[in-house]
Amino acid sequence: MRRESIDVLVVGAGAAGLMASVHAGRAAGPDARIVAVDGARKVGMKILVAGGGRCNVTHHEVLPEDYAGSSRNAIRKVLRAYPVEAVVDFFAAEGVRLKREETGKLFPTTDRARTVLDALLNAVSSAGVELRHPIRIESIERRDDGFHVTGPGFAANAGRVVLCTGGKALPKSGSDGMGLEIVRSLGHSVTEAVHPALVPLILAEADPIRELGGIATPVRLSVRGESGRNIAEYTAPMLCTHFGISGPVVLDASRHLLSARAAGDQAEAFVRWLPEEDREGFERTMIGAPSGMTCQSMLKGRLPDRLLRALLHVSGVEPTDRVRGLTRERRRALLDVLFDHPLVVVGDRGYTFAEATAGGVPLSEIRLDSMESRVVPGLHLAGEICDVDGRVGGFNFQWAWASGWVAGRAVAATVGATA
Ligand SMILES: Cc1cc2nc3c(=O)[nH]c(=O)nc-3n(C[C@H](O)[C@H](O)[C@H](O)COP(=O)(O)OP(=O)(O)OC[C@H]3O[C@@H](n4cnc5c(N)ncnc54)[C@H](O)[C@@H]3O)c2cc1C
């Protein structure tokens, strides 16, 4: 097959690849040959399913502390280059107005992810970038005359490559980790641990929480290491399911639990079912409860009924037991369950149900003002392929937009442009 010649090849047209393509095309001008390829039959599937089909594009306040993976300083540098306001302006100029919800998350006013994807695809096309799919890249080799990039039915010689192949989350979208194999083959390192982030957790089969499918309630969820050290703590709704637990608080905490375990620390998760109350104050309330008050009536309204009954059962207290009649041991047992309930997490739901990937190419191997590899000159990386993952709330897209923008502008400058 004839090897075509391309100035800049963007591999992967997800959030990062589309953003990189738009800005590479705009800044490079019409003379540059810029092509974006994606292995998926349906481009942008992850954008379409994001935020329950509404696409949580970003968050009104994005800080390095909202991320895990590479060093906070390194993450900050990239985020600063293309902040939230720039993203809001970019989408506004493409006809997509964003609205801020109470949680700080930004969604399109249409509440339709399709609006976001269409705007990006139009912007790519107007920027003069040719988007082709399905073209799955299987190998990239650095040669004297540029990068030889190959896949079934595709062979190109590219001056620069922007690798935006994502991580491994939602493999049916096309993000199956192939990009990580490719960067390894080029001499990059990938973090020792690569695992699902933002993923529902599986509890032991006998755990009563598995009987509470459908119940959602706000909790504080803490992840503690074997030594008792607090690793992470989040307060948000938790959803009980037939396999264990899900919901924003679980997704956020899962990343930290799994990375501690991957590093050999048998970390555990603990729930505080009454996130707004403190244990000492609640114990005082129990001691001073009216003499006829039962344990069930004390907790009624504070917790969903089915959950309340299950928690009383776990702590060995009958719903009809009088609060004042509890022995000190029973009272403490109930307080332990309400304020520090250990969960027996036996696994996670894997990449199929994960919203992000923890691990990837360390930012220490990337020049942050251009996202160009320090290991392979001419190769740029952006998005989730990097060792950066954010919490729930639009932070992962913000990373993809920012790193994609930096990479896109930088490659444009190398093909004689105005960037
Ligand atoms: C269900 C779900 C909901 C989410 N909701 C949100 C949300 O609301 N807000 C938020 O901020 N984040 C959300 N995320 C996370 C967010 O979608 C990702 O962090 C973000 O899409 C990463 O962008 P990316 O471009 O780096 O990678 P991806 O979006 O994964 O794109 C990578 C692209 O590369 C292509 N590709 C991979 N390998 C090859 C290859 N060898 N050759 C050619 N092409 C290849 C893939 O087909 C894919 O299109 C969600 C994720 C999931 C799974």
mmCIF file with all atom_site columns, all heavy atoms in Angstrom, residues 201-223:
data_model
loop_
_atom_site.group_PDB
_atom_site.id
_atom_site.type_symbol
_atom_site.label_atom_id
_atom_site.label_alt_id
_atom_site.label_comp_id
_atom_site.label_asym_id
_atom_site.label_entity_id
_atom_site.label_seq_id
_atom_site.pdbx_PDB_ins_code
_atom_site.Cartn_x
_atom_site.Cartn_y
_atom_site.Cartn_z
_atom_site.occupancy
_atom_site.B_iso_or_equiv
_atom_site.pdbx_formal_charge
_atom_site.auth_seq_id
_atom_site.auth_comp_id
_atom_site.auth_asym_id
_atom_site.auth_atom_id
_atom_site.pdbx_PDB_model_num
ATOM 1   N N   . LEU A 1 201 ? -18.198 -0.417  42.927 1.00 0.00 ? 201 LEU A N   1
ATOM 2   C CA  . LEU A 1 201 ? -17.476 -1.432  43.705 1.00 0.00 ? 201 LEU A CA  1
ATOM 3   C C   . LEU A 1 201 ? -18.379 -2.605  44.078 1.00 0.00 ? 201 LEU A C   1
ATOM 4   O O   . LEU A 1 201 ? -19.573 -2.424  44.351 1.00 0.00 ? 201 LEU A O   1
ATOM 5   C CB  . LEU A 1 201 ? -16.907 -0.786  44.975 1.00 0.00 ? 201 LEU A CB  1
ATOM 6   C CG  . LEU A 1 201 ? -15.858 0.310   44.723 1.00 0.00 ? 201 LEU A CG  1
ATOM 7   C CD1 . LEU A 1 201 ? -15.493 1.018   46.028 1.00 0.00 ? 201 LEU A CD1 1
ATOM 8   C CD2 . LEU A 1 201 ? -14.615 -0.248  44.036 1.00 0.00 ? 201 LEU A CD2 1
ATOM 9   N N   . ILE A 1 202 ? -17.778 -3.785  44.104 1.00 0.00 ? 202 ILE A N   1
ATOM 10  C CA  . ILE A 1 202 ? -18.526 -5.008  44.425 1.00 0.00 ? 202 ILE A CA  1
ATOM 11  C C   . ILE A 1 202 ? -18.310 -5.339  45.902 1.00 0.00 ? 202 ILE A C   1
ATOM 12  O O   . ILE A 1 202 ? -17.169 -5.328  46.380 1.00 0.00 ? 202 ILE A O   1
ATOM 13  C CB  . ILE A 1 202 ? -18.028 -6.179  43.538 1.00 0.00 ? 202 ILE A CB  1
ATOM 14  C CG1 . ILE A 1 202 ? -18.221 -5.821  42.058 1.00 0.00 ? 202 ILE A CG1 1
ATOM 15  C CG2 . ILE A 1 202 ? -18.743 -7.472  43.889 1.00 0.00 ? 202 ILE A CG2 1
ATOM 16  C CD1 . ILE A 1 202 ? -17.598 -6.809  41.085 1.00 0.00 ? 202 ILE A CD1 1
ATOM 17  N N   . LEU A 1 203 ? -19.410 -5.634  46.601 1.00 0.00 ? 203 LEU A N   1
ATOM 18  C CA  . LEU A 1 203 ? -19.303 -6.024  48.010 1.00 0.00 ? 203 LEU A CA  1
ATOM 19  C C   . LEU A 1 203 ? -19.456 -7.539  48.134 1.00 0.00 ? 203 LEU A C   1
ATOM 20  O O   . LEU A 1 203 ? -19.995 -8.195  47.237 1.00 0.00 ? 203 LEU A O   1
ATOM 21  C CB  . LEU A 1 203 ? -20.391 -5.334  48.836 1.00 0.00 ? 203 LEU A CB  1
ATOM 22  C CG  . LEU A 1 203 ? -20.339 -3.801  48.873 1.00 0.00 ? 203 LEU A CG  1
ATOM 23  C CD1 . LEU A 1 203 ? -21.447 -3.255  49.771 1.00 0.00 ? 203 LEU A CD1 1
ATOM 24  C CD2 . LEU A 1 203 ? -18.975 -3.309  49.372 1.00 0.00 ? 203 LEU A CD2 1
ATOM 25  N N   . ALA A 1 204 ? -18.994 -8.065  49.257 1.00 0.00 ? 204 ALA A N   1
ATOM 26  C CA  . ALA A 1 204 ? -19.088 -9.511  49.506 1.00 0.00 ? 204 ALA A CA  1
ATOM 27  C C   . ALA A 1 204 ? -20.541 -9.964  49.335 1.00 0.00 ? 204 ALA A C   1
ATOM 28  O O   . ALA A 1 204 ? -21.481 -9.210  49.637 1.00 0.00 ? 204 ALA A O   1
ATOM 29  C CB  . ALA A 1 204 ? -18.594 -9.810  50.913 1.00 0.00 ? 204 ALA A CB  1
ATOM 30  N N   . GLU A 1 205 ? -20.687 -11.198 48.871 1.00 0.00 ? 205 GLU A N   1
ATOM 31  C CA  . GLU A 1 205 ? -22.029 -11.683 48.508 1.00 0.00 ? 205 GLU A CA  1
ATOM 32  C C   . GLU A 1 205 ? -23.026 -11.588 49.667 1.00 0.00 ? 205 GLU A C   1
ATOM 33  O O   . GLU A 1 205 ? -24.194 -11.277 49.476 1.00 0.00 ? 205 GLU A O   1
ATOM 34  C CB  . GLU A 1 205 ? -21.922 -13.123 48.026 1.00 0.00 ? 205 GLU A CB  1
ATOM 35  C CG  . GLU A 1 205 ? -23.004 -13.457 47.042 1.00 0.00 ? 205 GLU A CG  1
ATOM 36  C CD  . GLU A 1 205 ? -22.639 -14.693 46.249 1.00 0.00 ? 205 GLU A CD  1
ATOM 37  O OE1 . GLU A 1 205 ? -21.452 -14.862 45.885 1.00 0.00 ? 205 GLU A OE1 1
ATOM 38  O OE2 . GLU A 1 205 ? -23.536 -15.493 46.030 1.00 0.00 ? 205 GLU A OE2 1
ATOM 39  N N   . ALA A 1 206 ? -22.541 -11.842 50.888 1.00 0.00 ? 206 ALA A N   1
ATOM 40  C CA  . ALA A 1 206 ? -23.460 -11.867 52.036 1.00 0.00 ? 206 ALA A CA  1
ATOM 41  C C   . ALA A 1 206 ? -23.739 -10.471 52.581 1.00 0.00 ? 206 ALA A C   1
ATOM 42  O O   . ALA A 1 206 ? -24.508 -10.316 53.535 1.00 0.00 ? 206 ALA A O   1
ATOM 43  C CB  . ALA A 1 206 ? -22.841 -12.735 53.124 1.00 0.00 ? 206 ALA A CB  1
ATOM 44  N N   . ASP A 1 207 ? -23.151 -9.449  51.989 1.00 0.00 ? 207 ASP A N   1
ATOM 45  C CA  . ASP A 1 207 ? -23.317 -8.094  52.548 1.00 0.00 ? 207 ASP A CA  1
ATOM 46  C C   . ASP A 1 207 ? -24.768 -7.642  52.417 1.00 0.00 ? 207 ASP A C   1
ATOM 47  O O   . ASP A 1 207 ? -25.335 -7.673  51.315 1.00 0.00 ? 207 ASP A O   1
ATOM 48  C CB  . ASP A 1 207 ? -22.395 -7.112  51.819 1.00 0.00 ? 207 ASP A CB  1
ATOM 49  C CG  . ASP A 1 207 ? -22.226 -5.824  52.608 1.00 0.00 ? 207 ASP A CG  1
ATOM 50  O OD1 . ASP A 1 207 ? -23.251 -5.212  52.953 1.00 0.00 ? 207 ASP A OD1 1
ATOM 51  O OD2 . ASP A 1 207 ? -21.081 -5.457  52.885 1.00 0.00 ? 207 ASP A OD2 1
ATOM 52  N N   . PRO A 1 208 ? -25.389 -7.230  53.530 1.00 0.00 ? 208 PRO A N   1
ATOM 53  C CA  . PRO A 1 208 ? -26.811 -6.825  53.474 1.00 0.00 ? 208 PRO A CA  1
ATOM 54  C C   . PRO A 1 208 ? -27.071 -5.640  52.540 1.00 0.00 ? 208 PRO A C   1
ATOM 55  O O   . PRO A 1 208 ? -28.202 -5.457  52.073 1.00 0.00 ? 208 PRO A O   1
ATOM 56  C CB  . PRO A 1 208 ? -27.153 -6.468  54.921 1.00 0.00 ? 208 PRO A CB  1
ATOM 57  C CG  . PRO A 1 208 ? -25.869 -6.442  55.665 1.00 0.00 ? 208 PRO A CG  1
ATOM 58  C CD  . PRO A 1 208 ? -24.839 -7.187  54.880 1.00 0.00 ? 208 PRO A CD  1
ATOM 59  N N   . ILE A 1 209 ? -26.031 -4.858  52.232 1.00 0.00 ? 209 ILE A N   1
ATOM 60  C CA  . ILE A 1 209 ? -26.236 -3.709  51.331 1.00 0.00 ? 209 ILE A CA  1
ATOM 61  C C   . ILE A 1 209 ? -26.694 -4.190  49.960 1.00 0.00 ? 209 ILE A C   1
ATOM 62  O O   . ILE A 1 209 ? -27.451 -3.511  49.262 1.00 0.00 ? 209 ILE A O   1
ATOM 63  C CB  . ILE A 1 209 ? -24.943 -2.865  51.241 1.00 0.00 ? 209 ILE A CB  1
ATOM 64  C CG1 . ILE A 1 209 ? -24.742 -2.156  52.577 1.00 0.00 ? 209 ILE A CG1 1
ATOM 65  C CG2 . ILE A 1 209 ? -25.009 -1.845  50.102 1.00 0.00 ? 209 ILE A CG2 1
ATOM 66  C CD1 . ILE A 1 209 ? -23.512 -1.300  52.656 1.00 0.00 ? 209 ILE A CD1 1
ATOM 67  N N   . ARG A 1 210 ? -26.266 -5.381  49.584 1.00 0.00 ? 210 ARG A N   1
ATOM 68  C CA  . ARG A 1 210 ? -26.662 -5.921  48.272 1.00 0.00 ? 210 ARG A CA  1
ATOM 69  C C   . ARG A 1 210 ? -28.157 -6.221  48.199 1.00 0.00 ? 210 ARG A C   1
ATOM 70  O O   . ARG A 1 210 ? -28.701 -6.414  47.120 1.00 0.00 ? 210 ARG A O   1
ATOM 71  C CB  . ARG A 1 210 ? -25.830 -7.162  47.940 1.00 0.00 ? 210 ARG A CB  1
ATOM 72  C CG  . ARG A 1 210 ? -24.391 -6.788  47.643 1.00 0.00 ? 210 ARG A CG  1
ATOM 73  C CD  . ARG A 1 210 ? -23.505 -7.966  47.349 1.00 0.00 ? 210 ARG A CD  1
ATOM 74  N NE  . ARG A 1 210 ? -23.976 -8.831  46.298 1.00 0.00 ? 210 ARG A NE  1
ATOM 75  C CZ  . ARG A 1 210 ? -23.192 -9.557  45.504 1.00 0.00 ? 210 ARG A CZ  1
ATOM 76  N NH1 . ARG A 1 210 ? -21.880 -9.475  45.647 1.00 0.00 ? 210 ARG A NH1 1
ATOM 77  N NH2 . ARG A 1 210 ? -23.691 -10.344 44.599 1.00 0.00 ? 210 ARG A NH2 1
ATOM 78  N N   . GLU A 1 211 ? -28.804 -6.284  49.364 1.00 0.00 ? 211 GLU A N   1
ATOM 79  C CA  . GLU A 1 211 ? -30.259 -6.498  49.393 1.00 0.00 ? 211 GLU A CA  1
ATOM 80  C C   . GLU A 1 211 ? -31.017 -5.178  49.270 1.00 0.00 ? 211 GLU A C   1
ATOM 81  O O   . GLU A 1 211 ? -32.238 -5.142  49.285 1.00 0.00 ? 211 GLU A O   1
ATOM 82  C CB  . GLU A 1 211 ? -30.681 -7.147  50.735 1.00 0.00 ? 211 GLU A CB  1
ATOM 83  C CG  . GLU A 1 211 ? -30.004 -8.476  51.023 1.00 0.00 ? 211 GLU A CG  1
ATOM 84  C CD  . GLU A 1 211 ? -30.444 -9.538  50.041 1.00 0.00 ? 211 GLU A CD  1
ATOM 85  O OE1 . GLU A 1 211 ? -31.656 -9.621  49.785 1.00 0.00 ? 211 GLU A OE1 1
ATOM 86  O OE2 . GLU A 1 211 ? -29.555 -10.235 49.501 1.00 0.00 ? 211 GLU A OE2 1
ATOM 87  N N   . LEU A 1 212 ? -30.274 -4.073  49.222 1.00 0.00 ? 212 LEU A N   1
ATOM 88  C CA  . LEU A 1 212 ? -30.928 -2.753  49.292 1.00 0.00 ? 212 LEU A CA  1
ATOM 89  C C   . LEU A 1 212 ? -30.935 -2.036  47.947 1.00 0.00 ? 212 LEU A C   1
ATOM 90  O O   . LEU A 1 212 ? -30.990 -0.807  47.893 1.00 0.00 ? 212 LEU A O   1
ATOM 91  C CB  . LEU A 1 212 ? -30.209 -1.882  50.331 1.00 0.00 ? 212 LEU A CB  1
ATOM 92  C CG  . LEU A 1 212 ? -30.166 -2.432  51.759 1.00 0.00 ? 212 LEU A CG  1
ATOM 93  C CD1 . LEU A 1 212 ? -29.286 -1.552  52.638 1.00 0.00 ? 212 LEU A CD1 1
ATOM 94  C CD2 . LEU A 1 212 ? -31.579 -2.502  52.344 1.00 0.00 ? 212 LEU A CD2 1
ATOM 95  N N   . GLY A 1 213 ? -30.824 -2.830  46.878 1.00 0.00 ? 213 GLY A N   1
ATOM 96  C CA  . GLY A 1 213 ? -30.752 -2.260  45.533 1.00 0.00 ? 213 GLY A CA  1
ATOM 97  C C   . GLY A 1 213 ? -31.758 -1.138  45.308 1.00 0.00 ? 213 GLY A C   1
ATOM 98  O O   . GLY A 1 213 ? -32.935 -1.275  45.645 1.00 0.00 ? 213 GLY A O   1
ATOM 99  N N   . GLY A 1 214 ? -31.285 -0.025  44.751 1.00 0.00 ? 214 GLY A N   1
ATOM 100 C CA  . GLY A 1 214 ? -32.178 1.085   44.416 1.00 0.00 ? 214 GLY A CA  1
ATOM 101 C C   . GLY A 1 214 ? -32.159 2.196   45.451 1.00 0.00 ? 214 GLY A C   1
ATOM 102 O O   . GLY A 1 214 ? -32.605 3.306   45.173 1.00 0.00 ? 214 GLY A O   1
ATOM 103 N N   . ILE A 1 215 ? -31.634 1.903   46.641 1.00 0.00 ? 215 ILE A N   1
ATOM 104 C CA  . ILE A 1 215 ? -31.623 2.966   47.668 1.00 0.00 ? 215 ILE A CA  1
ATOM 105 C C   . ILE A 1 215 ? -30.453 3.914   47.427 1.00 0.00 ? 215 ILE A C   1
ATOM 106 O O   . ILE A 1 215 ? -29.312 3.477   47.235 1.00 0.00 ? 215 ILE A O   1
ATOM 107 C CB  . ILE A 1 215 ? -31.518 2.356   49.083 1.00 0.00 ? 215 ILE A CB  1
ATOM 108 C CG1 . ILE A 1 215 ? -32.852 1.707   49.436 1.00 0.00 ? 215 ILE A CG1 1
ATOM 109 C CG2 . ILE A 1 215 ? -31.105 3.391   50.111 1.00 0.00 ? 215 ILE A CG2 1
ATOM 110 C CD1 . ILE A 1 215 ? -32.917 1.137   50.826 1.00 0.00 ? 215 ILE A CD1 1
ATOM 111 N N   . ALA A 1 216 ? -30.742 5.198   47.416 1.00 0.00 ? 216 ALA A N   1
ATOM 112 C CA  . ALA A 1 216 ? -29.676 6.203   47.270 1.00 0.00 ? 216 ALA A CA  1
ATOM 113 C C   . ALA A 1 216 ? -29.750 7.143   48.463 1.00 0.00 ? 216 ALA A C   1
ATOM 114 O O   . ALA A 1 216 ? -30.849 7.583   48.837 1.00 0.00 ? 216 ALA A O   1
ATOM 115 C CB  . ALA A 1 216 ? -29.858 6.981   45.972 1.00 0.00 ? 216 ALA A CB  1
ATOM 116 N N   . THR A 1 217 ? -28.616 7.430   49.059 1.00 0.00 ? 217 THR A N   1
ATOM 117 C CA  . THR A 1 217 ? -28.605 8.318   50.211 1.00 0.00 ? 217 THR A CA  1
ATOM 118 C C   . THR A 1 217 ? -27.251 9.020   50.308 1.00 0.00 ? 217 THR A C   1
ATOM 119 O O   . THR A 1 217 ? -26.232 8.435   49.943 1.00 0.00 ? 217 THR A O   1
ATOM 120 C CB  . THR A 1 217 ? -28.905 7.503   51.500 1.00 0.00 ? 217 THR A CB  1
ATOM 121 O OG1 . THR A 1 217 ? -29.073 8.379   52.589 1.00 0.00 ? 217 THR A OG1 1
ATOM 122 C CG2 . THR A 1 217 ? -27.817 6.505   51.833 1.00 0.00 ? 217 THR A CG2 1
ATOM 123 N N   . PRO A 1 218 ? -27.231 10.269  50.792 1.00 0.00 ? 218 PRO A N   1
ATOM 124 C CA  . PRO A 1 218 ? -25.930 10.933  50.928 1.00 0.00 ? 218 PRO A CA  1
ATOM 125 C C   . PRO A 1 218 ? -25.128 10.305  52.068 1.00 0.00 ? 218 PRO A C   1
ATOM 126 O O   . PRO A 1 218 ? -25.685 10.024  53.136 1.00 0.00 ? 218 PRO A O   1
ATOM 127 C CB  . PRO A 1 218 ? -26.295 12.380  51.258 1.00 0.00 ? 218 PRO A CB  1
ATOM 128 C CG  . PRO A 1 218 ? -27.719 12.370  51.656 1.00 0.00 ? 218 PRO A CG  1
ATOM 129 C CD  . PRO A 1 218 ? -28.348 11.116  51.161 1.00 0.00 ? 218 PRO A CD  1
ATOM 130 N N   . VAL A 1 219 ? -23.860 10.073  51.843 1.00 0.00 ? 219 VAL A N   1
ATOM 131 C CA  . VAL A 1 219 ? -22.989 9.501   52.880 1.00 0.00 ? 219 VAL A CA  1
ATOM 132 C C   . VAL A 1 219 ? -21.629 10.175  52.815 1.00 0.00 ? 219 VAL A C   1
ATOM 133 O O   . VAL A 1 219 ? -21.314 10.863  51.841 1.00 0.00 ? 219 VAL A O   1
ATOM 134 C CB  . VAL A 1 219 ? -22.757 7.970   52.667 1.00 0.00 ? 219 VAL A CB  1
ATOM 135 C CG1 . VAL A 1 219 ? -24.070 7.199   52.671 1.00 0.00 ? 219 VAL A CG1 1
ATOM 136 C CG2 . VAL A 1 219 ? -21.957 7.686   51.401 1.00 0.00 ? 219 VAL A CG2 1
ATOM 137 N N   . ARG A 1 220 ? -20.843 9.931   53.850 1.00 0.00 ? 220 ARG A N   1
ATOM 138 C CA  . ARG A 1 220 ? -19.421 10.260  53.738 1.00 0.00 ? 220 ARG A CA  1
ATOM 139 C C   . ARG A 1 220 ? -18.679 8.933   53.612 1.00 0.00 ? 220 ARG A C   1
ATOM 140 O O   . ARG A 1 220 ? -18.879 8.034   54.426 1.00 0.00 ? 220 ARG A O   1
ATOM 141 C CB  . ARG A 1 220 ? -18.931 11.013  54.966 1.00 0.00 ? 220 ARG A CB  1
ATOM 142 C CG  . ARG A 1 220 ? -17.448 11.356  54.847 1.00 0.00 ? 220 ARG A CG  1
ATOM 143 C CD  . ARG A 1 220 ? -16.981 12.253  55.935 1.00 0.00 ? 220 ARG A CD  1
ATOM 144 N NE  . ARG A 1 220 ? -17.795 13.453  56.004 1.00 0.00 ? 220 ARG A NE  1
ATOM 145 C CZ  . ARG A 1 220 ? -17.661 14.364  56.960 1.00 0.00 ? 220 ARG A CZ  1
ATOM 146 N NH1 . ARG A 1 220 ? -16.777 14.201  57.918 1.00 0.00 ? 220 ARG A NH1 1
ATOM 147 N NH2 . ARG A 1 220 ? -18.424 15.432  56.966 1.00 0.00 ? 220 ARG A NH2 1
ATOM 148 N N   . LEU A 1 221 ? -17.869 8.824   52.594 1.00 0.00 ? 221 LEU A N   1
ATOM 149 C CA  . LEU A 1 221 ? -17.152 7.570   52.349 1.00 0.00 ? 221 LEU A CA  1
ATOM 150 C C   . LEU A 1 221 ? -15.658 7.833   52.513 1.00 0.00 ? 221 LEU A C   1
ATOM 151 O O   . LEU A 1 221 ? -15.109 8.735   51.889 1.00 0.00 ? 221 LEU A O   1
ATOM 152 C CB  . LEU A 1 221 ? -17.461 7.089   50.932 1.00 0.00 ? 221 LEU A CB  1
ATOM 153 C CG  . LEU A 1 221 ? -17.037 5.677   50.562 1.00 0.00 ? 221 LEU A CG  1
ATOM 154 C CD1 . LEU A 1 221 ? -17.702 4.644   51.467 1.00 0.00 ? 221 LEU A CD1 1
ATOM 155 C CD2 . LEU A 1 221 ? -17.428 5.362   49.111 1.00 0.00 ? 221 LEU A CD2 1
ATOM 156 N N   . SER A 1 222 ? -15.034 7.059   53.400 1.00 0.00 ? 222 SER A N   1
ATOM 157 C CA  . SER A 1 222 ? -13.596 7.237   53.632 1.00 0.00 ? 222 SER A CA  1
ATOM 158 C C   . SER A 1 222 ? -12.852 6.004   53.177 1.00 0.00 ? 222 SER A C   1
ATOM 159 O O   . SER A 1 222 ? -13.336 4.887   53.329 1.00 0.00 ? 222 SER A O   1
ATOM 160 C CB  . SER A 1 222 ? -13.287 7.402   55.122 1.00 0.00 ? 222 SER A CB  1
ATOM 161 O OG  . SER A 1 222 ? -14.143 8.330   55.693 1.00 0.00 ? 222 SER A OG  1
ATOM 162 N N   . VAL A 1 223 ? -11.671 6.247   52.632 1.00 0.00 ? 223 VAL A N   1
ATOM 163 C CA  . VAL A 1 223 ? -10.773 5.141   52.272 1.00 0.00 ? 223 VAL A CA  1
ATOM 164 C C   . VAL A 1 223 ? -9.598  5.212   53.235 1.00 0.00 ? 223 VAL A C   1
ATOM 165 O O   . VAL A 1 223 ? -8.968  6.256   53.380 1.00 0.00 ? 223 VAL A O   1
ATOM 166 C CB  . VAL A 1 223 ? -10.256 5.290   50.824 1.00 0.00 ? 223 VAL A CB  1
ATOM 167 C CG1 . VAL A 1 223 ? -9.253  4.192   50.496 1.00 0.00 ? 223 VAL A CG1 1
ATOM 168 C CG2 . VAL A 1 223 ? -11.416 5.272   49.845 1.00 0.00 ? 223 VAL A CG2 1
#
